[in-house]
Amino acid sequence: MQELTHFINGERVSGGSGRFADVFNPATGEVQAKVPLATTEEVNEAVAKAAEAQVAWGATNPQRRARVMMAFGQLINENMDMLAESVSREHGKTLPDGRGDVQRGLEVIEVCMGAPTLLKGEFTTDGGPGIDLYSMRQPLGVVAGITPFNFPAMIPLWKMGPALSCGNAMVLKPSERCPSTSILLAELLKEAGLPDGVLQVVNGDKEAVDAILDNETIQAVGFVGSTPIAQYIYGRAASNGKRAQCFGGAKNHMIVMPDADMDKAADALVGSSMGAAGERCMAISVAVPVGDKTADALVERIVPRLEKLKVGPYTAGDDIDYGPLITKASQTRVKGLIDSGIEQGATMLMDGREFSLQGYEDGFFVGPTYFDNVTPDMDIYKEEIFGPVLSQVRTQSYEEALKLTMDNEYGNGTSIFTADGDTARDFANRVNVGMVGINFPIPVPLSYHTFGGWKKSAFGDLNQYGPDAFRFYTKTKTVTERWFSGIKEGGEFAFKAMD
Ligand code: NAD
């Protein structure tokens, strides 16, 4: 049995707690590795070493730090297949999805190569007689990243790229279900020139997270995961005086107007609800057709598309559409929610509960599942399912569809499919959701914009990556200075003649 490690002071380090978590092969159900779960003392030691390493790293000029990001980006590119395989091996997503996971993280590293520009300050000359003002962005010190299982490369890269290029040291606690990719990324960063100790990867569970939240040296916490944990981490970090941004779960709606291209809308709904087995915070899990004719047109197109999907292990090749769920518990929970949909009166159009694959009978698979006539009081509507389940809620007008989307407690992403610019524009302006797609099902903004939801999908301030991340990981200092040689007696302002 492979025993995984932490990555501390530039080296793989065995865990000292004697506590481990199982890392599964989700396609077979077998345990493939054990990951050590750090104690409070192990976290505190890693933080103390990070604080020592941060002093020199914070004083390194931004251009040199950016060069480390450039070398890192190149190494990620060169090792794309190895990293993607590591993602798929523990997560179970297809290899093209694994590559996408690495690629979307790499794009944030590419933005970090421009850190000197993003960190430039502001200057006011002659704010008063002989007075100039300037603002600078300084690193916070040691910051922490706590990340979920579903993007084992992308989200750690979203955290480490901006935090490190701003001159901070980071303690990263990846998901204990997919821990290996973060260690591989940390090794590539070392090879790219990052000094030892500036990035510490500490594996663990609640004990390690609580140690991070209570550690007085840590100045800021960037969290991504489920809503209840996001809310807990935000509260505890804030009450300990830390800056915190905590991104949570989602229930993303896609409105389909009667004038939409129905084939494209059906393709978009299938891809965005089933891709990565629905384990994406930007997955569309609720289809909201306007009018029964639209709903019927979608049913007619979606069912045959779902029937054609290939579900299997990532090792079966690139034509697999999606893989297993992350754990047995997750599979059991998703199947239980499907049961509840039937019991609570939704119309079952496709049932994935009995899906089984020869040779992989113990894998955590769930087949494509599609419900029609779902209502907002049903559990399959209220809960974030995080599985390959599409719920269709019929509405009779655009206003009803908009209200449904806006009344939902989550606000991560949403989408509208329509041929009408006025409707699209109205939707984009009025909807209370952080990321909006127009004829676009998964509107993850490009890396030089920013990523963040509203309502219960995010707690705290500022978004992930892009310019917001450079604000989150720095504090502003403003200097007001006066040089008396520029002031004549009596306060009148004068320039000195130049020789
Ligand atoms: P999770 O909340 O279970 O775990 C996230 C992190 O929190 C992990 O590192 C885990 O070890 C830690 N953790 C778990 N329980 C804890 C506890 N009781 N106390 C302290 N720490 C704890 O989330 P997950 O299952 O790994 O990821 C899936 C969730 O993440 C979904 O809800 C998904 O929507 C969300 N997500 C959100 C975004 C976003 O940007 N909004 C992006 C990706 C995933």
Side-chain angles (χ1 to χ4, degrees):
M1 177 72 52
Q2 193 193 0
E3 194 175 303
L4 303 176
T5 63
H6 308 296
F7 186 83
I8 312 274
N9 304 332
E11 284 176 6
R12 292 188 184 216
V13 174
S14 299
S17 69
R19 288 200 308 129
F20 293 88
D22 290 336
V23 180
F24 290 93
N25 173 345
T28 62
E30 288 160 356
V31 177
Q32 59 172 312
K34 291 205 170 287
V35 61
L37 303 173
T39 59
T40 303
E41 293 70 38
E42 285 176 303
V43 171
N44 289 343
E45 262 174 50
V47 174
K49 287 279 175 13
E52 282 170 26
Q54 191 274 331
V55 176
W57 177 245
T60 302
N61 78 53
Q63 207 159 1
R64 282 182 192 273
R65 293 198 302 252
R67 281 188 203 128
V68 173
M69 290 294 142
M70 283 179 217
F72 184 38
Q74 192 166 345
L75 286 167
I76 292 174
N77 255 318
E78 286 167 14
N79 290 281
M80 178 66 80
D81 288 343
M82 180 272 284
L83 291 167
E85 210 272 333
S86 147
V87 167
S88 297
R89 195 172 60 241
E90 289 180 351
H91 179 284
K93 62 175 76 176
T94 66
L95 274 177
D97 271 350
R99 275 183 221 111
D101 194 323
V102 180
Q103 176 63 30
R104 292 310 293 260
L106 170 60
E107 287 165 16
V108 168
I109 300 303
E110 286 167 353
V111 169
C112 294
M113 297 174 193
T117 311
L118 286 156
L119 290 171
K120 259 191 339 195
E122 295 173 333
F123 193 91
T124 298
T125 186
D126 300 331
I131 295 173
D132 300 326
L133 290 91
Y134 60 94
S135 304
M136 52 183 141
R137 300 200 155 275
Q138 295 193 325
L140 301 176
V142 183
V143 300
I146 302 166
T147 56
F149 80 84
N150 67 325
F151 282 97
M154 180 182 85
I155 297 181
L157 286 166
W158 287 5
K159 299 290 162 214
M160 62 175 83
L164 300 179
S165 49
C166 286
N168 301 291
M170 171 167 262
V171 173
L172 176 71
K173 204 234 46 92
S175 168
E176 62 275 38
R177 295 179 222 160
C178 298
S180 292
T181 311
S182 288
I183 303 274
L184 295 171
L185 290 169
E187 285 177 335
L188 293 181
L189 254 174
K190 178 183 166 97
E191 198 181 332
L194 189 77
D196 292 348
V198 175
L199 176 68
Q200 311 277 53
V201 182
V202 180
N203 282 305
D205 57 1
K206 183 169 166 53
E207 179 175 347
V209 171
D210 287 347
I212 286 171
L213 298 175
D214 294 342
N215 185 294
E216 286 182 4
T217 303
I218 291 179
Q219 299 297 307
V221 177
F223 171 87
V224 182
S226 59
T227 288
I229 309 297
Q231 202 159 4
Y232 162 71
I233 287 183
Y234 180 64
R236 189 152 169 175
S239 72
N240 283 332
K242 299 187 197 315
R243 192 178 281 200
Q245 53 172 204
C246 301
F247 298 93
K251 193 81 184 174
N252 304 318
H253 294 48
M254 183 173 129
I255 296 177
V256 182
M257 296 300 293
D259 61 4
D261 180 322
M262 290 300 151
D263 286 313
K264 290 205 165 62
D267 283 340
L269 281 168
V270 169
S272 63
S273 61
M274 303 292 146
E279 290 176 326
R280 292 195 284 222
C281 69
M282 288 294 275
I284 295 287
S285 50
V286 186
V288 190
V290 173
D292 286 330
K293 232 175 114 187
T294 311
D296 293 341
L298 288 179
V299 169
E300 196 181 297
R301 287 165 175 79
I302 289 174
V303 171
R305 282 166 166 80
L306 293 179
E307 282 167 350
K308 278 194 209 121
L309 290 183
K310 283 195 185 156
V311 181
Y314 79 93
T315 44
D318 284 2
D319 64 334
I320 294 294
D321 290 296
Y322 73 81
L325 294 175
I326 186 69
T327 55
K328 181 84 190 159
S330 181
Q331 184 195 38
T332 306
R333 180 180 163 274
V334 170
K335 286 187 181 180
L337 278 161
I338 300 174
D339 291 341
S340 80
I342 297 167
E343 282 154 23
Q344 292 168 16
T347 309
M348 164 69 80
L349 298 177
M350 282 277 290
D351 183 354
R353 287 173 299 175
E354 297 306 319
F355 177 88
S356 180
L357 198 63
Q358 209 181 359
Y360 295 92
E361 289 80 0
D362 294 330
F364 310 140
F365 294 97
V366 174
T369 301
Y370 183 23
F371 280 110
D372 196 5
N373 298 309
V374 174
T375 53
D377 54 324
M378 295 177 184
D379 290 341
I380 49 169
Y381 179 79
K382 288 190 287 195
E383 300 248 342
E384 180 187 36
I385 300 177
F386 230 52
V389 181
L390 178 62
S391 301
Q392 180 157 292
V393 181
R394 292 180 176 230
T395 58
Q396 299 309 324
S397 69
Y398 164 67
E399 286 297 334
E400 187 189 344
L402 176 65
K403 184 172 183 320
L404 180 83
T405 309
M406 292 182 64
D407 285 350
N408 193 275
E409 62 177 350
Y410 294 107
N412 213 37
T414 187
S415 168
I416 189 166
F417 269 60
T418 179
D420 182 66
D422 276 342
T423 310
R425 189 166 181 275
D426 183 78
F427 180 70
N429 286 338
R430 285 167 66 195
V431 75
N432 56 359
V433 172
M435 292 170 282
V436 180
I438 295 171
N439 295 320
F440 209 96
I442 304 190
V444 176
L446 289 174
S447 53
Y448 39 92
H449 289 259
T450 68
F451 182 108
W454 289 12
K455 298 186 277 183
K456 284 203 168 166
S457 294
F459 302 85
D461 201 6
L462 297 169
N463 280 353
Q464 309 191 76
Y465 65 75
D468 267 18
F470 282 76
R471 291 188 195 107
F472 181 75
Y473 287 113
T474 53
K475 52 195 175 202
T476 305
K477 184 183 283 173
T478 307
V479 179
T480 304
E481 65 174 14
R482 179 163 58 187
W483 294 100
F484 296 103
S485 55
I487 310 171
K488 268 190 187 167
E489 222 168 298
E492 197 188 326
F493 180 74
F495 285 107
K496 275 173 83 176
M498 286 180 60
D499 294 330

